[in-house]
Amino acid sequence: MENNKLPKVGRYLFLAEPFHCNFKGMLFPGHLGNHMLNAADFHSDERGYGMSKLLPQHKTWVLSRLVLEMQEMPKVYDKFYIETWVDGIMKFFTTRNYSVVSPEGKVFGYGKSIWALIDTDTRKPSDLLELNEGAILNYVEKEKECPIDNPSHVKMGKQANRIKSLKVSYSDIDMNGHVNSMKYLEHALDIYSLDYWGKKALRRLEIAYIIEAYYDCTLHFYEEEVSADHYHIRVTKSDESSEEETDVCRIAFIFEDNK
Amino acid sequence: MENNKLPKVGRYLFLAEPFHCNFKGMLFPGHLGNHMLNAADFHSDERGYGMSKLLPQHKTWVLSRLVLEMQEMPKVYDKFYIETWVDGIMKFFTTRNYSVVSPEGKVFGYGKSIWALIDTDTRKPSDLLELNEGAILNYVEKEKECPIDNPSHVKMGKQANRIKSLKVSYSDIDMNGHVNSMKYLEHALDIYSLDYWGKKALRRLEIAYIIEAYYDCTLHFYEEEVSADHYHIRVTKSDESSEEETDVCRIAFIFEDNK
């Protein structure tokens, strides 16, 4: 479905399904992140530059950065819209924003992301402006508000402790053959105890993706508390051939006390 | 929404979302199972005996058995309907069937399940026929076909090997405070290698739930190959106070060669 008359902002309805909610009846951040990826996919597909159009051309979108800042999480059975729009284009990257809102207009939170277009054969960046005759340029929205901080640089000090290592599993691997980008987030959120989650809410999360991991990898999670309730996590991978570790992604979490 | 004029069979549309699909672009069984639970929830809710009505009455549905037999799995971006209906009622249990069909009417597969109604305070079975003045009796459908075998008794021999143990994580725990029933399935399916999944398709799965596991538990997975591509898995739990293991659920998988 390609349609030049579509608005620049896409708006998609989701439901906080019961088994996508945590023990407090709030949507798991990983499932919200997945819905944001879906919204981005629907939005780009309807406008002529989505995955279903790209894959036959041996191109794909790769998520490079994701930031999510939530005032409140949708609760079980809440319906909510994810609005998404492209707000900037560089040769090899786009910036895409999100808002998460209730049908009544209450804002749950906002997101920002950076995506690269790559060639699936060479794994190298591909020129966005050549994509479907520059279709993406018709849909840049600069006015709509997304009042959260841009992605920061997630610095790791020397104090980070290795918290856990896990072998990549069948359920971690997505249709591109690498570890699903939301799985890093889920595995990282699993570092925090149920007791901690009982007292806190996740206010902001950031992920910066560096390189992909595959089925034969083991992932290692290093964590450091930067300040109270503010954590940086470095995820590395190693494989069977060597114990040498390569950085896969960096994550920042800012929790706050329950309101 | 309670409506005596609703048909006995509910029919709900789902999408095989890209990040719910495996490396072959086929829907993960755990996500299909989750959609089946959602369909059951929507169906019962619309007919006056769903979770949103039950929880304030301190009652809940507990899944006791699930069988799923698939001729084919939905592929990425496939839309599919899950049809579900209650086909039998005993004092403390209902049997609920499912069919998974494409919008064109192609059958992907069928499911059967057994649910108990329990009192959330006492954790004891609760009389179904007292529920909302016996509303459930208005919706028993005996004629619709569900041509797969009933749940069997998953027997474990003495040859089962402990394949893995894992500490329950934050993301395993659902809004009832126990391990999400689909998470046992996902952890069990993760026993099989990507290479094996590349050659095989999962034709039939069964789960029999025995007792719930909680956050402080470690789960242990014992597996035995009953015949070629036919596996039985016993899941047990232990907690910090003792290494003694209690049976949590039993699972059977029948794989077949790719068609």
Side-chain angles (χ1 to χ4, degrees), chain A residues 159-219:
Chain A
Q159 305 306 316
N161 297 308
R162 191 199 273 193
I163 302 290
K164 64 175 178 183
S165 296
L166 55 90
K167 179 82 193 65
V168 171
S169 295
Y170 163 67
S171 62
D172 290 319
I173 300 293
D174 69 15
M175 55 180 288
N176 299 310
H178 22 83
V179 173
N180 175 334
S181 47
M182 287 304 115
K183 286 286 178 175
Y184 299 109
L185 175 62
E186 286 181 13
H187 292 311
L189 291 171
D190 277 345
I191 290 174
Y192 303 93
S193 71
L194 212 64
D195 183 50
Y196 186 76
W197 278 104
K199 290 181 232 157
K200 306 285 177 177
L202 182 62
R203 186 166 66 77
R204 180 177 165 99
L205 72 84
E206 290 194 34
I207 313 185
Y209 296 97
I210 301 161
I211 203 170
E212 286 140 0
Y214 300 89
Y215 185 69
D216 65 351
C217 296
T218 297
L219 301 177

Side-chain angles (χ1 to χ4, degrees), chain A residues 15 17-20 22-23 28 34 38 41-42 76-77 169-171 173-175 180 190 193-194 197 215, chain B residues 15 17-20 22-23 28 34 38 41 76-77 169-171 173-175 180 190 193-194 197 215:
Chain A
L15 170 73
E17 298 178 11
F19 297 100
H20 286 175
N22 73 8
F23 71 106
F28 277 112
N34 181 52
N38 283 331
D41 189 37
F42 300 154
V76 61
Y77 296 118
S169 295
Y170 163 67
S171 62
I173 300 293
D174 69 15
M175 55 180 288
N180 175 334
D190 277 345
S193 71
L194 212 64
W197 278 104
Y215 185 69
Chain B
L15 170 73
E17 298 178 11
F19 297 99
H20 287 176
N22 73 8
F23 71 106
F28 277 112
N34 181 52
N38 283 332
D41 189 37
V76 61
Y77 296 117
S169 295
Y170 163 67
S171 62
I173 300 293
D174 69 15
M175 56 180 287
N180 175 335
D190 277 344
S193 72
L194 212 65
W197 278 104
Y215 185 70

